[in-house]
């Protein structure tokens, strides 16, 4: 008979097994009780800023205004109901805030309602406005992707593939602005508000359109057989820049071949319809369309400059060119990456986050940088051992606001004047008194080699208290895979939860190694675009295995008590580890992982790829379910069944295979939540169950 332990859906009390070698002075609820800020934004004028704050599942809007920047809560949502806040926007004059409540915008179906609280009335994705000074929130419509007009009185949004309009104060009902074929979005007002640029996606191609009014036909800009995207207005509103990439189709090519993915920057004159390509990406692998946050990050800046991101020198960097074309200027040279890029209100400079600095561990941090749009005068504004992310200029250009954390303090909003080096932290009083600041450790940056010689990076969490014998250890594997774990509290909510869990596991006596494997960001093009990775060989698993072996070689670690856990792509690599190397990984937690890769299509053309047979073999070798015969380590599977990133069927399939082999396993299935634990109680439950399993399997031996 198969031994399956069905963990209860609602856990009010989790009884952990006792072990004299392990003790903790704080609970997982203590360390997960921190507030988490997102959606930091600023008005185009003045000094007003706003952000969303998640306090144990209660998501609300906070605002502040210079020069004091005293935080003030603007909304009063009082339930842990899983309704996220996204697309938070301040009107240019700072008088209105517009946001979307509901959905899961980190998934492929962001505007589909989420109902993890089992509300019989269901849930909605709603567009909401509220005055900055405070009042009752106004539900404007069901919709997504709001864009406030330059005159601050109306809001555009998308619904059903069309672009709609409504008054920002809710005085008039929402209605479609126009009707067009395809799925229409990426709306952007011209500087004077007289026209609207948008993208019409039509499957294998897309067009840039210009809408003027109800009587004027839509003006399609340079329609072709390509995919046109990311329209950006010139400051005078006479031209539009956009990114052009090839349309879908063509002959079926080799699956294994590494191919350049072309892209170019075009400009077009609105009145004449004349346009041209002003810059074409180098036809190299590194010159391919950038796969970092924000893609090309295209901006039409001041001083007749167009700014973008390219990976062409091996790192994702900012470049600028004249709007008339010519050679590109590298704005941010060096061996580091830039992301989270914002253009100043005057269009003359940019702020961004970068893993740059003088400390060797800065490669596993983020600091805020600033650079002009026409010269390479980059300056790192924040220094030290903290982590700073998601910067914005205030409209008066006197301050930057950003999100700040350390190894022992979770993320908080911060504001710093350009003439100051000392930031002001906001909402620090929202961190509960039971949060265990002083009991947390500072993880250290380490590196080691995989079997094929690849350098692997990680953060090592070591207990403060020494033990009399050898300690158990855990390998933590992040998801993505385009992510980078840091030597401090992460700026993404999913990974902030895992960072807290790693701290908790360390507090009860585990050594934890968070591994940054190839395919992740932060270490250059060749690391991120590794060969024979994913379904074509899973070379990145070599790095995960190397992390386990590195731990096993440490004299203070019991090499028979090394566990592993991770979610999403990390869950996939956990499953590979448990299947291929059970003698190394004594137990593991596979959280919504891709366990069976056979269902992924290998070709998109009419003819099979020339190396389709080889690719099929590689997919089989890269799939965890191919290793069930050697999978002996105790396993816990966790999955929520409204997952829009990894299908719940992946865990159903693995469970069924285990059942057929009569392999005992444990599981936790969560109805109606998503990949990102929209309810705080579910995030807490997953962490508690994961910690309990690892403790039981690795300490009671």
């Amino acid at each position: 008979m198969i031994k399956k332990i069905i963990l209860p859906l609602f856990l009010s009390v989790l009884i952990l097994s006792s072990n004299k070698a392990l003790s903790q002075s704080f609970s997982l609820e203590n360390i997960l009780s921190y507030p988490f800020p997102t959606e930091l934004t600023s008005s185009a004028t003045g000094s007003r800023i706003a952000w969303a704050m998640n306090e144990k599942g209660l998501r609300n809007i906070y605002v502040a205004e210079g020069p004091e920047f005293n935080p003030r809560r603007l909304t009063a949502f009082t339930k842990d109901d899983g309704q996220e806040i996204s697309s938070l926007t301040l009107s240019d004059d700072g008088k209105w805030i517009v946001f979307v409540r509901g959905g899961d915008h980190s998934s492929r179906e962001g505007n589909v309602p989420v109902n993890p609280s089992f509300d019989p009335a269901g849930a909605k994705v709603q567009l909401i406005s509220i005055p900055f000074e405070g009042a009752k929130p106004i539900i404007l419509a069901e919709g997504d992707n709001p864009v406030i007009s330059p005159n601050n009185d109306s809001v555009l949004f998308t619904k059903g593939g069309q672009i709609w309009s409504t008054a920002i104060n809710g005085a008039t009902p929402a209605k479609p602005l126009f009707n067009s074929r395809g799925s229409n979005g990426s709306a952007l007002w011209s500087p004077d508000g007289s026209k609207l640029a948008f993208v019409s996606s039509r499957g294998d191609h897309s067009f840039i359109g210009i809408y003027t009014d109800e009587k004027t036909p839509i003006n399609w800009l340079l329609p072709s057989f390509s995919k046109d995207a990311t329209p950006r207005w010139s400051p005078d509103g006479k031209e539009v820049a956009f990114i052009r990439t090839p349309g879908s189709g063509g002959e079926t090519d080799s699956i294994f071949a590494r191919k350049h993915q072309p892209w170019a920057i075009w400009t077009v004159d609105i009145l004449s319809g004349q346009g041209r390509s002003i810059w074409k990406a180098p036809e190299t692998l590194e010159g391919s369309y950038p796969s970092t946050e924000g893609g090309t990050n295209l901006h039409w800046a001041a001083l007749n400059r167009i700014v973008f991101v390219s990976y062409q020198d091996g790192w994702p960097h900012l470049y600028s060119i004249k709007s008339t074309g010519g050679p590109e200027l590298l704005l941010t040279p060096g061996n580091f990456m830039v992301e989270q890029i914002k253009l100043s209100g005057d269009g003359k400079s940019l702020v961004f986050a970068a893993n740059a600095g003088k400390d060797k561990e800065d490669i596993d941090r983020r600091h805020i940088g600033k650079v002009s749009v026409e010269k390479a005068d980059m300056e790192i504004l924040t220094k030290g051992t903290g982590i700073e992310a998601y910067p914005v200029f205030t409209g008066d250009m006197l301050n930057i606001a950003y999100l700040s954390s350390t190894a022992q303090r979770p993320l908080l909003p911060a504001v710093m004047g350009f003439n100051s080096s000392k930031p002001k932290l906001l909402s620090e009083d929202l961190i509960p008194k039971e949060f265990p600041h002083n009991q947390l450790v500072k993880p250290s940056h380490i590196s080691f080699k995989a079997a094929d010689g690849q350098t692997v990076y990680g953060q090592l969490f070591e207990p403060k208290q020494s033990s009399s014998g050898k300690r158990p250890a855990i390998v933590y594997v992040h998801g993505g895979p385009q992510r980078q774990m840091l030597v401090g509290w992460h700026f993404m909510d999913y990974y902030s939860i895992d960072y807290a869990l790693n701290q908790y596991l360390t507090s009860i006596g585990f050594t934890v190694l968070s591994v940054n494997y190839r395919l992740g960001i932060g270490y250059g093009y060749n690391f991120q675009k590794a060969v024979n990775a994913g379904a074509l060989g899973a070379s990145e698993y070599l790095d995960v295995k190397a992390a386990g072996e590195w731990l096993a070689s440490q004299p203070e670690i019991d090499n028979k008590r090394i566990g592993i856990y991770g979610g999403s792509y990390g869950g996939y690599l956990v499953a590979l580890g448990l299947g291929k190397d059970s003698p190394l990984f004594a137990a593991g937690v596979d959280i919504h992982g891709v366990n069976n890769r056979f269902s992924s299509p290998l070709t998109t053309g009419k003819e099979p790829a020339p190396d389709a047979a080889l690719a099929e073999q590689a997919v089989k070798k890269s799939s965890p379910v191919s290793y069930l015969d050697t999978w002996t380590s105790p396993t816990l599977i966790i999955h929520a069944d409204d997952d829009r990133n990894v299908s719940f069927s992946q865990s159903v399939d693995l469970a069924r295979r285990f059942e057929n082999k009569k392999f005992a396993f444990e599981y936790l299935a969560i109805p109606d939540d998503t990949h990102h634990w929209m309810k705080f109680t579910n995030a807490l439950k997953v962490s508690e169950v994961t910690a309990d399993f690892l403790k039981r399997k690795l300490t009671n031996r």
Side-chain angles (χ1 to χ4, degrees):
M1 181 177 180
I2 302 170
K3 179 185 177 184
K4 295 186 294 185
I5 299 178
I6 303 177
L7 298 166
L9 180 60
F10 298 105
L11 295 178
S12 57
V13 178
L14 183 68
I15 302 175
L16 300 179
S17 55
S18 61
N19 187 295
K20 291 182 179 180
L22 299 179
S23 62
Q24 78 269 11
S25 53
F26 61 88
S27 69
L28 270 165
E29 186 164 9
N30 291 153
I31 197 172
L32 287 173
S33 64
Y34 58 87
F36 191 85
T38 59
E39 301 290 316
L40 179 66
T41 189
S42 62
S43 58
T45 58
S47 60
R48 292 181 167 182
I49 62 173
W51 64 95
M53 189 72 93
N54 184 345
E55 300 172 69
K56 298 176 68 173
L58 310 184
R59 296 173 171 92
N60 283 287
I61 306 296
Y62 280 76
V63 296
E65 184 174 8
E68 293 83 6
F69 292 103
N70 295 321
R72 172 169 53 91
R73 195 180 73 175
L74 203 58
T75 58
F77 299 113
T78 59
K79 293 181 180 179
D80 176 21
D81 55 7
Q83 303 307 302
E84 73 170 3
I85 290 174
S86 63
S87 297
L88 182 62
T89 309
L90 266 166
S91 59
D92 286 352
D93 61 8
K95 293 181 178 180
W96 285 93
I97 291 173
V98 174
F99 61 98
V100 173
R101 187 168 189 264
D104 178 3
H105 289 80
S106 297
S107 74
R108 289 187 290 266
E109 299 175 348
N111 60 358
V112 176
V114 175
N115 189 17
S117 61
F118 320 129
D119 187 342
K124 297 177 180 179
V125 178
Q126 295 178 315
L127 190 71
I128 300 173
S129 68
I130 187 170
F132 184 92
E133 297 297 342
K136 183 179 179 180
I138 304 167
I139 299 175
L140 301 177
E142 291 184 43
D144 208 354
N145 306 308
V147 180
I148 302 175
S149 63
N151 61 11
N152 309 297
D153 66 357
S154 65
V155 182
L156 298 179
F157 62 96
T158 57
K159 182 179 180 180
Q162 298 296 326
I163 296 175
W164 291 54
S165 178
T166 187
I168 199 168
N169 62 3
T172 57
K175 63 178 183 178
L177 191 65
F178 59 88
N179 287 287
S180 173
R181 290 184 59 239
S183 179
N184 302 290
S186 301
L188 188 68
W189 287 106
S190 60
D192 64 0
S194 65
K195 296 179 176 63
L196 180 77
F198 67 97
V199 177
S200 180
S201 299
R202 303 185 175 189
D204 57 4
H205 67 286
S206 59
F207 298 142
I208 303 288
I210 301 295
Y211 168 81
T212 302
D213 56 42
E214 294 178 351
K215 297 180 180 180
T216 305
I218 290 172
N219 177 15
W220 298 107
L221 303 182
L222 304 177
S224 70
F225 302 108
S226 302
K227 290 184 177 180
D228 296 341
T230 322
R232 297 291 183 263
W233 289 95
S234 61
D236 62 9
K238 295 180 179 180
E239 297 178 84
V240 167
F242 63 90
I243 301 295
R244 174 162 283 180
T245 58
S248 303
E251 293 185 30
T252 305
D253 202 350
S254 163
I255 296 171
F256 281 96
R258 291 160 59 82
K259 300 176 283 289
H260 168 69
Q261 299 173 8
W263 62 287
I265 302 173
W266 286 65
T267 60
V268 56
D269 183 276
I270 300 302
L271 291 179
S272 70
Q274 298 297 308
R276 65 192 180 105
S277 174
I278 64 167
W279 186 84
K280 182 181 178 182
E283 294 184 10
T284 62
L285 290 175
E286 293 85 352
S288 295
Y289 188 91
S291 56
T292 51
E293 183 261 352
T296 62
N297 286 273
L298 186 69
H299 293 89
W300 196 315
L303 307 175
N304 212 30
R305 306 296 294 187
I306 291 177
V307 181
F308 59 94
V309 165
S310 174
Y311 229 139
Q312 65 193 62
D313 73 345
W315 295 86
H317 280 305
L318 280 164
Y319 294 79
S320 78
I321 55 171
K322 292 182 178 179
S323 60
T324 54
E328 72 271 18
L329 170 65
L330 173 59
L331 297 176
T332 55
N335 293 338
F336 58 88
M337 72 173 293
V338 298
E339 61 180 348
Q340 304 161 10
I341 298 152
K342 292 290 185 180
L343 182 67
S344 63
D346 61 10
K348 294 181 180 180
S349 56
L350 305 116
V351 285
F352 52 87
N355 59 338
K358 295 182 179 180
D359 190 298
K360 68 176 183 178
E361 293 195 351
D362 283 336
I363 196 169
D364 282 352
R365 295 191 181 100
R366 293 292 185 275
H367 293 311
I368 305 304
K370 178 178 176 288
V371 70
S372 300
V373 300
E374 86 287 4
K375 56 185 175 181
D377 59 353
M378 185 187 77
E379 178 186 5
I380 298 298
L381 302 177
T382 60
K383 301 175 177 65
T385 59
I387 292 166
E388 300 86 34
Y390 296 112
V392 296
F393 292 96
T394 55
D396 56 15
M397 293 295 294
L398 296 178
N399 303 276
I400 54 166
Y402 54 89
L403 301 181
S404 162
S405 71
T406 69
Q408 295 163 308
R409 174 182 54 76
L411 211 63
L412 287 173
V415 178
M416 186 174 74
F418 281 111
N419 297 321
S420 172
S421 60
K422 186 176 181 180
K424 177 180 180 179
L425 286 179
L426 310 184
S427 298
E428 196 168 9
D429 60 317
L430 296 183
I431 299 178
K433 61 181 180 180
E434 64 267 20
F435 184 82
H437 288 280
N438 297 328
Q439 299 172 62
L440 305 184
V441 302
K442 295 180 179 180
S444 57
H445 167 81
I446 66 167
S447 62
F448 46 91
K449 295 287 186 179
D452 61 354
Q454 171 68 55
T455 299
V456 189
Y457 306 92
Q459 298 81 44
L460 188 67
F461 298 72
E462 296 184 279
K464 288 185 174 182
Q465 303 297 326
S466 60
S467 58
S468 56
K470 292 191 173 186
R471 292 195 298 269
I474 303 290
V475 173
Y476 165 69
V477 193
H478 68 74
Q482 294 182 23
R483 303 285 187 266
Q484 182 186 21
M485 298 303 100
L486 309 172
V487 286
W489 222 281
H490 208 277
F491 49 77
M492 294 179 68
D493 54 356
Y494 185 102
Y495 298 108
S496 75
I497 294 170
D498 288 352
Y499 182 86
L501 178 52
N502 288 339
Q503 287 279 3
Y504 172 80
L505 291 169
T506 305
S507 77
I508 61 172
F510 287 99
T511 292
V512 179
L513 174 53
S514 174
V515 56
N516 280 340
Y517 53 88
R518 70 191 84 175
L519 293 185
I521 60 174
Y523 308 106
Y525 180 87
N526 291 330
F527 190 88
Q528 184 178 343
K529 301 295 181 180
V531 298
N532 300 324
L536 299 181
S539 61
E540 68 276 23
Y541 171 67
L542 294 175
D543 304 346
V544 175
K545 182 178 180 180
E549 292 175 334
W550 185 90
L551 284 171
S553 69
Q554 303 307 303
E556 72 276 13
I557 300 301
D558 183 344
N559 61 16
K560 301 299 183 183
R561 293 192 291 158
I562 297 174
I564 185 170
Y565 89 95
S568 194
Y569 205 92
Y572 159 64
L573 293 171
V574 166
L576 270 183
L578 296 173
K580 296 182 72 171
D581 291 295
S582 279
L584 176 61
F585 298 113
V589 185
D590 174 0
I591 306 171
H592 44 229
V594 179
N595 305 302
N596 183 354
R597 305 203 75 146
F598 299 146
S599 59
S600 301
L602 295 177
T603 62
T604 56
K606 294 182 180 179
E607 298 294 327
D611 51 2
L614 287 175
E616 206 169 308
Q617 295 175 20
V619 169
K620 184 177 181 180
K621 291 180 180 178
S622 305
S623 195
V625 295
S626 297
Y627 302 96
L628 292 181
D629 288 342
T630 54
W631 192 323
T632 59
S633 296
T635 302
L636 168 63
I637 307 171
I638 299 176
H639 215 138
D641 88 320
D642 192 17
D643 195 318
R644 293 107 184 261
N645 296 70
V646 176
S647 173
F648 188 71
S649 64
Q650 287 283 339
S651 291
V652 174
D653 176 76
L654 181 61
R656 184 64 179 146
R657 292 170 187 264
F658 280 161
E659 289 168 350
N660 289 339
K661 291 185 69 67
K662 302 191 184 313
F663 177 73
F665 65 99
E666 300 183 25
Y667 65 86
L668 173 61
I670 302 176
D672 294 342
D673 209 335
T674 74
H675 199 72
H676 300 101
W677 318 129
M678 308 305 285
K679 270 178 67 72
F680 170 78
T681 52
N682 284 338
L684 174 60
K685 180 194 316 175
V686 168
S687 295
E688 287 179 329
V689 168
T690 297
D692 174 58
F693 178 85
L694 293 171
K695 186 174 181 181
R696 283 189 287 110
K697 299 302 179 182
L698 298 173
T699 64
N700 290 339
R701 299 172 67 87

